């Protein structure tokens, strides 16, 4: 059996991995996953036994000569395409080795073995990847056998002997002796079991049937094990956030003359779901980590697992900053994963920042290391991960690709920071997945400086009424950090610019936040030169969402160097868009902003006098321009970005308090006023509708082995934009692809030239199939970002209009 291989080799002259080695590694990976996830609520008692059996048998159908020839495991013969599905033949081994197991249990194992690569039903339109029922559903036993032969009888006998002995050694319910059979009997057994499995799963399950969830989670456990086995990446078993954290935090605070705040102590004693409402700078992060530590201990005792912690934030830069903070606070340089779509780019930046950059060889090595680290995170290595809700939401797509995300979410701990940053549609989707996590034994914390009662109620309903609200005691007052001022003039009006220039001339640091990219660039071009003349070339900065990755990284570094909270205060100018709202830990002297919805404004205010070291700092809100969007019907938007009605409701409240000092506790009451208005009631109804729609489309799993590619496309359209390179970077991008020693690592390095755009901008460029990238003709400046995109010589789109 030493001549049976599981896959082709990636190294010339070196054979591929032995089939028995891969099967055994996958079986042992299931054991590691079980030790991590523990007992999942609502799952059958045999769940992990079925997963272990499926792991050991999932690739046994790679026995035939056709498969071995396809992977180059036949001497002196060129690899040739086989065209059959090995997982279907694997069912013969399931039938023969589990002959003593009840039929229902055998069919559970068979379904997961058959489904670990391809859907059973609903073909992929326009693709050669046929679903299994289409490919084999009409076969007679003779036709079926012809597709999987020839296969060496001695190999079959040896493989059955090894499987039976291995199963017995690991306590699996295999037959007492190895079945003695020939290849035709194997194919007949596979054919019978395949027909039974297809008959069971080709139709929708009845409403409320939990077998769909069981199937998805079982598939997830096995595919996760398969990926871990192939990657040879062991799971972390030591949690960066352990039982020593509370003591270490108390000691750290004591060394600075501080003690735990009441809300932090209460959070540490809360077992179950948490709503944490506390002002900026009051130690919310420490409070939620204390809460998470308590949940880890409680869940580990209840489930016999090792709970994962997901710290979820809305923006890329805030994710990277939180990862750095946790790495420092928990003294864990490599035990924290970064789970967002740009994870590999983050690790590349980290590698280069660590001094790896130099000649091309250094760049290639850094890219390779970053790619490996990102792949390890995708394979669920770390127990503490920082990311976006959308990466975890992808688990709802299920199927062989995404079901492992759902399995890993069972008995996990989720921290959602700044949940109010999402619109009604996305909030509804997040509430739906939160409810699913809760049913799978998860614990959820939502934290915010200003959490309106309407949001708290929606979260509580999603979690079946099981939440505890923790906030500072009544006698504790939030620091008064801001004084509110209202201006009828638009942010870009000359009178507004004059006021900003006066502050710069007085030696202040001034934050200016526009609602769209066009206004931000215009403001920077008007104010930047004046600031630089006063305070030097490093004093003025612009940040929005339309930069190449390499440029954005450099800009964020420069901004933090100048304006990070805790650093000595320096005069200067920072102009940006919502990319600044919850992305960087900044502290400036004053804030000018265009009016937006009130929650967005609170985030902007929080970048001025962040630490409360000054007298109440001025936050000046300017009237926006209300107008329709190009091609967007008759609905009006604030500066083309924010919904008009909640923006106007917030403006009316702000106008009543012009000239007054404000704090987060006051603003929470203002938010309650908005969300109890007729608009707020309609908003809550929309959230419920979106939650219900997402549950029906993604989380019912009535056909868990059906093709869900259409759902994947729909999901990506809602959450994923596109990325493009500008035409002048084409040659550099192409060269960067060839820098590294592997295609994936080379692409990672080349990705530094990519720039994010909305998905609907695909039509503004040309897609290069060879380089797999969208190329746009554009006006671009590394300091100002994207100025305009050209569809052709006659058409030009301004960034404020299209982005």
């Amino acid at each position: 059996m030493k001549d049976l291989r599981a896959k082709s080799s990636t190294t010339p002259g070196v054979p591929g991995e032995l089939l028995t080695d891969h099967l055994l590694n996958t079986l042992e990976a299931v054991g590691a996953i079980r030790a991590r996830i523990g007992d999942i609520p609502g799952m059958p008692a045999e769940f992990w036994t079925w997963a272990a059996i499926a792991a050991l048998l999932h690739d046994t159908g790679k026995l035939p000569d056709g498969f071995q020839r396809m992977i180059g495991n036949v001497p002196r013969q060129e690899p040739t395409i086989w065209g059959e599905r090995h997982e279907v033949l694997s069912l013969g081994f399931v039938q023969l080795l589990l002959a003593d197991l009840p039929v229902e249990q055998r069919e559970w194992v068979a379904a997961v073995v058959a489904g670990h690569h391809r859907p059973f039903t609903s073909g992929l339109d326009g693709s050669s990847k046929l679903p299994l029922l289409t490919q084999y559903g009409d076969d007679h036993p003779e036709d079926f056998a012809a597709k999987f032969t020839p296969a060496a009888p001695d190999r079959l006998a040896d493989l059955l002997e090894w499987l039976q002995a291995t199963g017995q050694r690991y306590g699996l319910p295999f037959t007492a002796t190895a079945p003695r059979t020939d290849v035709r009997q194997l194919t007949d057994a596979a054919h019978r079991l395949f027909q039974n499995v297809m008959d069971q799963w080709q139709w929708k399950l009845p409403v409320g049937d939990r077998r769909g969830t069981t199937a998805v989670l079982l598939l997830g456990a096995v595919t996760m094990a398969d990926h871990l086995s192939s990657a040879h990446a062991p799971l972390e078993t030591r949690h960066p956030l352990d039982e020593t954290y509370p003591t270490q935090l108390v000691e750290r605070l004591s060394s600075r003359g501080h003690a735990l705040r009441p809300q932090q102590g209460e959070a540490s004693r809360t077992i179950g779901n948490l709503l944490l409402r506390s002002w900026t700078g009051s130690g919310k992060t420490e409070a939620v980590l204390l809460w998470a530590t308590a949940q880890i201990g409680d869940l580990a005792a209840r489930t016999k697992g090792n709970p994962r912690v997901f710290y979820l934030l809305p923006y890329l830069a805030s994710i990277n900053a939180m990862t750095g903070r946790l790495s420092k606070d928990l003294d864990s340089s490599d035990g924290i994963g970064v789970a967002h779509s740009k994870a590999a780019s983050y690790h590349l930046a980290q590698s280069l920042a660590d001094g790896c950059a130099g000649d091309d060889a250094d760049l290639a090595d850094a890219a390779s290391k970053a790619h490996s680290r990102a792949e390890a995170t995708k394979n669920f290595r770390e127990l503490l991960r920082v990311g976006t809700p959308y990466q975890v939401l992808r688990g709802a797509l299920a199927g062989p690709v995404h079901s492992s995300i759902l399995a890993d979410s069972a008995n996990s701990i989720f921290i959602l920071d700044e949940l109010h940053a999402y619109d009604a549609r996305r909030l509804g989707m997040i509430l739906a997945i939160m409810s699913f996590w809760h049913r799978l034994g998860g614990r959820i914390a939502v934290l915010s400086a200003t959490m309106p009662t309407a949001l708290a109620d929606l979260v509580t309903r999603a979690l079946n009424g099981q939440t505890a609200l923790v906030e500072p005691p009544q006698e504790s007052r939030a620091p008064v950090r801001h004084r509110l001022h209202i201006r009828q003039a638009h942010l870009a009006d000359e009178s507004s610019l004059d006021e900003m220039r006066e502050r710069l001339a007085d030696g202040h640091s001034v934050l200016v936040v526009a609602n769209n990219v066009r206004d931000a660039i215009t403001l920077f071009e008007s104010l930047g030169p004046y600031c630089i003349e006063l305070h030097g070339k490093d004093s003025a900065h612009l940040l929005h969402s339309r930069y190449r990755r390499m440029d954005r990284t450099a800009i964020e570094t420069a901004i933090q160097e100048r304006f990070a909270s805790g650093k000595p205060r320096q005069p200067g100018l920072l102009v940006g868009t919502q990319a600044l709202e919850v992305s960087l830990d900044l502290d400036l002297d004053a804030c000018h902003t265009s009016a937006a919805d009130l929650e967005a404004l609170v985030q902007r205010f929080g970048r001025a006098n962040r630490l409360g070291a000054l007298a109440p700092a001025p936050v000046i809100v300017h009237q926006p321009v209300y107008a329709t969007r190009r091609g967007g019907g008759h609905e009006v938007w604030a500066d083309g970005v924010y919904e008009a009605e909640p923006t106007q409701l917030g403006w009316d409240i702000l106008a009543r308090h012009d000239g007054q000092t404000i704090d987060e506790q006051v603003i929470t009451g203002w938010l309650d006023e908005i969300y109890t208005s007729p608009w707020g009631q309609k908003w809550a109804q929309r959230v419920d509708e979106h939650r219900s729609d997402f549950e029906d489309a993604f989380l019912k799993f009535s056909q868990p082995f059906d093709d869900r590619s259409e759902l994947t496309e729909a999901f990506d359209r809602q959450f994923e934009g596109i990325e493009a390179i500008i035409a002048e970077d084409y040659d550099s991008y192409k060269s960067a692809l060839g820098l590294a020693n592997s295609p994936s690592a080379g692409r990672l390095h080349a990705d530094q030239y990519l720039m994010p755009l909305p998905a609907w901008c695909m039509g503004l460029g040309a897609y290069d199939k060879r380089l797999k990238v969208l190329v746009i003709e554009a006006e671009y400046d590394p300091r100002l970002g994207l100025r305009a995109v050209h569809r052709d010589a006659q058409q030009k789109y301004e960034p404020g209009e299209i982005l």
Side-chain angles (χ1 to χ4, degrees):
M1 250 196 332
K2 290 189 178 297
D3 56 351
L4 272 181
R5 304 284 167 177
K7 56 195 71 180
S8 56
S9 174
T10 57
T11 305
V14 177
E17 184 179 23
L18 285 172
L19 177 59
T20 50
D21 286 351
H22 176 63
L23 296 177
L24 184 58
N25 289 337
T26 308
L27 170 60
E28 292 182 341
V30 164
I33 293 167
R34 178 179 186 175
R36 168 176 282 199
I37 296 177
D39 299 330
I40 305 174
M43 293 300 103
E46 303 87 359
F47 179 92
W48 287 112
T49 300
W50 298 341
I53 298 170
L56 182 58
L57 302 181
H58 76 290
D59 276 357
T60 48
K62 292 180 176 180
L63 167 76
D65 295 353
F67 180 87
Q68 295 297 311
R69 185 168 54 250
M70 181 177 67
I71 64 172
N73 192 32
V74 177
R76 296 180 298 280
Q77 289 191 28
E78 289 295 319
T80 57
I81 297 299
W82 184 37
E84 306 302 333
R85 300 307 311 168
H86 67 270
E87 57 269 33
V88 174
L89 183 60
S90 297
L91 298 183
F93 292 88
V94 174
Q95 179 76 4
L96 294 170
L97 287 162
L98 300 181
D100 298 333
L101 203 64
V103 171
E104 180 184 358
Q105 295 196 40
R106 186 163 63 242
E107 290 182 350
W108 269 113
V109 175
V112 176
V113 168
H116 80 273
H117 283 305
R118 290 282 178 86
F120 293 173
T121 52
S122 297
L124 307 173
D125 294 339
S127 171
S128 60
K129 297 180 179 179
L130 294 175
L132 299 183
L133 185 61
T134 302
Q135 191 167 355
Y136 298 105
D138 294 331
D139 284 353
H140 295 291
E142 295 77 12
D143 304 321
F144 189 88
K147 293 179 177 181
F148 294 101
T149 51
D154 57 333
R155 284 178 165 177
L156 171 59
D158 289 348
L159 183 55
L160 283 167
E161 289 279 358
W162 180 86
L163 289 167
Q164 190 275 338
T166 302
Q168 290 282 326
R169 189 166 73 251
Y170 281 82
L172 302 179
F174 284 7
T175 53
T177 60
R180 299 197 176 277
T181 187
D182 58 29
V183 174
R184 177 55 193 266
Q185 289 170 322
L186 175 72
T187 62
D188 284 349
H191 182 261
R192 288 194 303 274
L193 190 52
F194 175 78
Q195 295 295 334
N196 292 344
V197 169
M198 292 302 113
D199 287 345
Q200 181 177 0
W201 292 106
Q202 67 176 306
W203 311 111
K204 282 188 175 183
L205 295 172
V207 175
D209 193 324
R210 289 186 59 85
R211 285 180 297 166
T213 301
T214 300
V216 168
L217 295 179
L218 195 56
L219 183 63
V222 173
T223 54
M224 189 194 308
D226 192 17
H227 297 158
L228 290 170
S229 172
S230 297
H232 301 285
L235 295 173
E236 292 280 357
T237 57
R238 181 183 176 277
H239 215 300
L241 183 63
D242 60 24
E243 66 278 0
T244 67
Y245 176 73
T247 301
Q248 292 175 354
L249 175 61
V250 169
E251 290 176 352
R252 189 166 74 239
L253 291 172
S254 179
S255 69
R256 300 171 186 170
H258 302 300
L260 283 183
R261 291 186 168 99
Q263 66 271 22
Q264 293 173 326
E266 187 177 353
S268 73
R269 296 185 294 272
T270 299
I271 298 297
N273 302 312
L274 173 72
L275 301 176
L276 177 61
R277 180 165 56 201
S278 189
W279 65 78
T280 302
S282 63
K284 287 194 299 297
T285 301
E286 290 83 358
V288 81
L289 291 177
L290 289 167
W291 168 84
T293 304
Q295 310 319 302
I296 291 170
D298 184 66
L299 281 174
R302 290 170 182 263
T303 68
K304 301 183 289 293
N306 195 358
R308 282 74 59 224
V309 176
F310 296 83
Y311 201 114
L312 305 178
L313 293 141
Y315 295 113
L316 176 62
S318 56
I319 289 165
N320 294 345
M322 180 57 70
T323 303
R325 174 177 177 176
L326 292 176
S327 297
K328 180 180 178 182
D329 288 353
L330 304 179
D331 192 24
S332 178
S333 59
D334 61 356
I336 299 172
V338 182
H340 57 69
S341 59
K342 308 301 185 295
S345 295
Y346 166 74
H347 289 301
L348 175 62
Q350 292 298 101
S351 296
L352 298 180
D354 289 342
C356 297
D359 59 15
D360 286 353
D362 291 331
L363 292 172
D365 181 61
S368 297
K369 290 178 180 177
H371 177 74
S372 297
R373 176 66 184 279
E375 288 300 308
T377 296
K378 284 197 291 186
N379 283 327
F380 314 100
R381 186 171 78 90
E382 296 96 349
L383 288 160
L384 174 56
R385 296 171 225 161
V386 185
T388 68
Y390 311 127
Q391 288 304 106
V392 191
L393 261 172
R394 291 192 74 85
L397 296 171
V401 177
H402 301 102
S403 56
S404 50
I405 300 174
L406 279 186
D408 192 48
S409 71
N411 297 325
S412 289
I413 296 161
F414 298 90
I415 299 168
L416 290 101
D417 201 344
E418 305 299 349
L419 182 62
H420 59 244
Y422 305 97
D423 61 23
R425 176 174 54 84
R426 296 187 180 187
L427 176 59
M429 297 167 79
I430 292 169
L431 291 171
I433 198 71
M434 284 169 55
S435 180
F436 185 81
W437 294 334
H438 179 64
R439 292 197 300 274
L440 294 185
R443 302 278 172 80
I444 293 94
V446 175
L447 56 153
S448 174
T450 54
M451 186 188 305
T453 303
L455 177 58
D457 289 345
L458 286 170
V459 172
T460 299
R461 286 215 315 267
L463 300 179
N464 201 29
Q466 299 175 28
T467 60
L469 176 63
V470 171
E471 52 189 341
Q474 286 293 325
E475 60 270 19
S476 297
R477 294 293 302 173
V480 179
R481 296 182 295 140
H482 303 124
R483 186 176 296 278
L484 174 67
H485 302 279
I486 298 298
R487 299 287 185 267
Q488 295 295 329
H490 188 267
L491 191 67
D493 284 359
E494 195 59 37
S495 61
S496 303
L497 295 173
D498 286 342
E499 186 175 359
M500 298 172 204
R501 293 187 187 105
E502 286 181 19
R503 297 186 190 282
L504 291 170
D506 289 339
H508 296 148
S509 55
V510 181
L511 172 66
V512 182
V513 187
N515 286 340
N516 60 54
V517 177
R518 180 189 62 244
D519 285 348
I521 293 175
T522 299
L523 286 158
F524 185 77
E525 288 183 309
S526 298
L527 297 170
Y530 179 74
C531 180
I532 290 171
E533 182 180 345
L534 287 173
H535 305 299
K537 65 177 183 178
D538 295 327
S539 64
H541 301 275
L542 171 69
L543 180 65
H544 52 75
S545 58
R546 307 301 174 211
Y547 285 98
R548 299 182 303 184
R549 290 188 196 170
M550 64 177 75
D551 298 327
R552 175 159 182 155
T553 299
I555 290 169
E556 288 177 351
T557 300
I559 288 171
Q560 288 176 309
E561 191 65 31
R562 185 86 182 186
F563 302 118
S565 62
K567 281 182 171 287
R569 309 190 78 84
Q570 299 184 70
L573 171 71
L574 175 56
V575 179
T577 60
Q578 65 179 7
L580 291 167
E581 286 174 14
V582 291
S583 59
L584 301 170
D585 185 13
L586 307 175
D587 190 3
L588 288 86
D589 298 334
C591 172
H592 285 260
T593 175
S594 188
D597 69 63
L598 188 55
E599 287 162 301
L601 292 180
V602 172
Q603 296 300 318
R604 299 174 187 185
F605 296 168
R607 271 63 203 157
N609 196 17
R610 185 169 182 80
L611 301 181
L614 307 174
V619 291
I620 303 97
V621 183
H622 296 256
Q623 182 79 272
V625 171
Y626 291 98
T628 58
R629 291 172 170 172
R630 177 184 290 186
H634 300 292
E635 191 173 3
V636 296
W637 301 80
D639 291 326
V641 175
Y642 290 94
E643 191 178 347
E645 190 170 356
T647 300
Q648 291 168 335
L649 288 169
W651 175 268
D652 291 342
I653 293 171
L654 295 174
R656 297 202 306 264
H657 298 85
D658 187 15
Q660 299 178 13
T661 58
I662 57 174
D663 59 42
E664 278 98 335
Q665 288 171 319
V666 169
I667 293 172
T668 298
W670 297 353
L671 288 169
D672 282 344
E673 180 179 338
I674 292 172
Y675 283 105
T676 54
S677 70
W679 173 87
Q681 294 168 17
K682 288 185 291 184
W683 169 85
Q685 183 178 351
R686 293 203 312 271
V687 173
D688 279 335
E689 290 170 354
H690 289 301
R691 174 188 164 184
S692 178
D693 290 345
F694 189 76
E695 287 175 340
D696 289 342
F698 289 89
L699 295 174
K700 292 296 177 66
F701 306 120
S702 58
Q703 288 186 284
F705 297 103
D706 194 39
D707 171 47
R708 290 164 72 93
S709 57
E710 289 186 5
L711 289 180
T712 301
E713 293 169 6
F715 184 94
D716 288 344
R717 282 195 299 270
Q718 293 184 63
F719 288 109
E720 303 291 336
I722 58 173
E723 291 182 304
I725 61 170
I726 55 179
E728 63 189 64
D729 284 338
Y730 183 88
D731 290 338
S732 297
Y733 182 82
K734 183 178 178 181
S735 298
L737 285 173
L739 274 179
N741 56 11
S742 74
S744 53
R747 181 164 293 280
L748 172 60
H749 184 69
D751 282 355
Q752 300 305 299
Y753 292 94
L754 291 174
M755 177 167 46
L757 295 170
W760 54 267
C761 288
M762 178 65 78
L764 301 182
Y767 187 77
D768 189 299
K769 294 182 179 179
R770 191 163 61 89
L771 299 186
K772 298 180 180 178
V773 68
L774 180 69
V775 183
I776 59 173
E777 294 282 349
E779 295 176 19
Y780 182 84
D781 180 273
R783 189 169 175 82
L784 299 177
L786 183 66
R787 300 298 307 271
V789 179
H790 301 272
R791 188 193 297 266
D792 53 42
Q794 286 74 44
Q795 261 183 314
K796 176 176 174 180
Y797 292 80
E798 297 296 335
E801 295 172 335
I802 68 165
L803 305 175

